Structures are given as C-alpha cells and as structure tokens.
Amino acid sequence: MNGFYTILLLLLSNVFMTLAWYGHLKLQQSGASSSWPLIGVIAFSWGIAFLEYCCQVPANRIGFEANGGPFSLVQLKVIQECISLVVFAVIANIMFQGQNIHWNHVLAFFLIICAVYLVFMK
C-alpha cells in the first residue's frame, strides 16, 4: 500500500510542480498576469510549489525503504522523473495547445520507461 500512496503523492506533487513552473506562462499568455512584477510571479509560483512540497516530502518518506517503503532512493528518483515527464506532457498539451508531441518525444519517453525497468532489475 505504501507504494500506491507514494505514486499517488508523486503524481499530485508533479501536477503542482508543473503548474508552479509553467502556469505563470499561461497566465501571462492570457493577459492575466502580464502586468505583475517578477517578484509577484515568483511569489505566485512559490505558493503553488509549497503544495508540491506538501506532497513530495511525504511521498519520499512513505516510499523510502529505510522508512518501511518499497523503493530505494534511486528508484524513487527515477519514478519521480518518469511521472514528471508524463505529467508535463499532459499539462503542456492541455494548457499550451500548440505544443505538439513528436516522434522523438515519444522515443524519449519510451527510453525513460526503459530506465525505470532497468532501475527495478535485481
């Protein structure tokens, strides 16, 4: 069950992370934040990033094998990176419609999945 909670929290964390890192670009594109000073954009992103950390830290604690979880440190990192790219691809396609996924992106995602497989090999 710890593995499931870890993955779920990492998914939520990466949604918040992607919104914190790139959401302000969509707000600027729509004109909602184009008059904000840079410090305002940073504060806005930090507010969202706080929610990311509220999910990321527990995910790592729950999932880490030294705390009774099923994953090693390396496995946690590779899982997080894989989830991060998948979440980014989905959100980028929803928020920024012109950002198409090409064959090389699909191949890169496939290779990342291969990396996940390799990390879990004994």
Side-chain angles (χ1 to χ4, degrees), residues 58-77:
N60 288 329
R61 285 200 169 233
I62 292 168
F64 187 46
E65 62 191 358
N67 294 332
F71 305 119
S72 71
L73 190 63
V74 173
Q75 289 170 334
L76 277 170
K77 183 59 182 171

Side-chain angles (χ1 to χ4, degrees), residues 32-117:
S33 70
S34 45
S35 63
W36 292 7
L38 184 57
I39 193 70
V41 175
I42 291 169
F44 173 80
S45 292
W46 273 0
I48 298 171
F50 172 75
L51 299 172
E52 172 206 349
Y53 277 84
C54 288
C55 297
Q56 180 76 26
V57 171
N60 288 329
R61 285 200 169 233
I62 292 168
F64 187 46
E65 62 191 358
N67 294 332
F71 305 119
S72 71
L73 190 63
V74 173
Q75 289 170 334
L76 277 170
K77 183 59 182 171
V78 172
I79 291 168
Q80 188 278 327
E81 291 299 330
C82 187
I83 290 172
S84 176
L85 289 172
V86 170
V87 167
F88 172 78
V90 170
I91 289 177
N93 278 313
I94 291 170
M95 288 175 51
F96 300 95
Q97 304 268 320
Q99 301 293 314
N100 297 324
I101 294 180
H102 302 287
W103 71 267
N104 55 325
H105 303 141
V106 173
L107 178 60
F109 291 156
F110 173 74
L111 292 173
I112 290 168
I113 291 168
C114 290
V116 172
Y117 174 77

